[in-house]
Amino acid sequence: MGNYFFDFDDTICKSRHIYAASVQKTFEARGVKVPSTEDIYQAMGIPIDVSIARWAQ
């Protein structure tokens, strides 16, 4: 099994825009209000269940 790196906080590379786009596409596919890129950036670093609940309001 290989090693994998997950970099959601820009430590290794600038990956925030990829994460934000994937969140927005997921919300769009579900037919719910899509959070703005800025809202997604502000929620980075907090637990995912908290951020999803925030965006879903």
Side-chain angles (χ1 to χ4, degrees):
M1 181 174 197
N3 294 316
Y4 298 92
F5 291 98
F6 294 93
D7 178 44
F8 295 117
D9 62 356
D10 294 341
T11 301
I12 299 170
C13 68
K14 300 296 181 197
S15 57
R16 292 176 1 147
H17 65 284
I18 298 167
Y19 176 75
S22 67
V23 168
Q24 290 171 326
K25 287 184 184 294
T26 300
F27 274 64
E28 183 179 1
R30 296 288 183 185
V32 295
K33 182 179 176 239
V34 177
S36 71
T37 301
E38 189 58 37
D39 285 343
I40 295 168
Y41 287 169
Q42 289 177 1
M44 288 180 161
I46 64 174
I48 193 73
D49 58 328
V50 175
S51 59
I52 289 175
R54 180 185 297 173
W55 299 328
Q57 291 183 6

